[in-house]
Amino acid sequence: MGIFGGRKNREERAAEIADKVASGKGFYGGLTRRFLGEADFAKVQQSIGAHNAGGYVQQLLAAGAPTIPAAVVSIADTGRLVNFDPIVDLVLQPVGATERLAMQTIVSKLQIPRVGDQVLLVADPAQPGAYLYAGAGTAQ
């Protein structure tokens, strides 16, 4: 605790700065937006959003959210990395569904799914009808 109270640790401060960069607000966000330009800034926003989604999925799984198995129909590399993990375009076929889902997500470089592999999805409570990638494996 600092002199004026409420002192944050480095991780909290880094997360706060990343949120400001992603939103384009504050000193860091405005500076990043000006230096990168709109096209590259949109890529930064997408990467930070993908990184934050990973933590959100872990929170949902810890809270006991049900998972849905899906088969990988296709996978394509976007050429972008977040913390050295690739962002990929996935086309998935949920078990028992007729429609395929397309999503862009971060996958672990140690567990990159291949065509035909089974992965898990979690329903996104913030967006009804949307799903989040929850990694490789079988349903709980």
Side-chain angles (χ1 to χ4, degrees):
M1 190 115 180
I3 296 172
F4 300 107
R7 187 169 178 174
K8 298 177 183 174
N9 64 25
R10 288 183 180 177
E11 291 82 14
E12 290 172 340
R13 183 71 180 133
E16 185 178 285
I17 290 171
D19 288 340
K20 286 182 181 179
V21 168
S23 66
K25 297 178 182 173
F27 176 75
Y28 295 109
L31 196 63
T32 304
R33 181 185 294 263
R34 284 185 197 91
F35 278 124
L36 293 180
E38 289 301 318
D40 289 333
F41 184 71
K43 290 179 184 178
V44 168
Q45 283 182 310
Q46 192 174 24
S47 294
I48 291 173
H51 175 71
N52 290 340
Y56 184 53
V57 167
Q58 294 305 317
Q59 288 176 351
L60 289 173
L61 291 174
T67 57
I68 301 162
V72 177
V73 176
S74 72
I75 184 169
D77 188 17
T78 62
R80 293 189 316 237
L81 302 173
V82 173
N83 290 339
F84 300 106
D85 287 331
I87 297 177
V88 297
D89 290 319
L90 285 173
V91 176
L92 304 168
Q93 178 75 41
V95 174
T98 57
E99 291 187 20
R100 292 181 174 175
L101 300 171
M103 65 175 51
Q104 194 171 76
T105 187
I106 297 174
V107 296
S108 169
K109 66 181 173 185
L110 301 175
Q111 294 180 334
I112 298 175
R114 294 191 169 99
V115 173
D117 286 355
Q118 186 174 3
V119 297
L120 298 176
L121 302 174
V122 175
D124 186 356
Q127 297 178 3
Y131 294 94
L132 299 169
Y133 178 78
T138 57
Q140 299 171 347

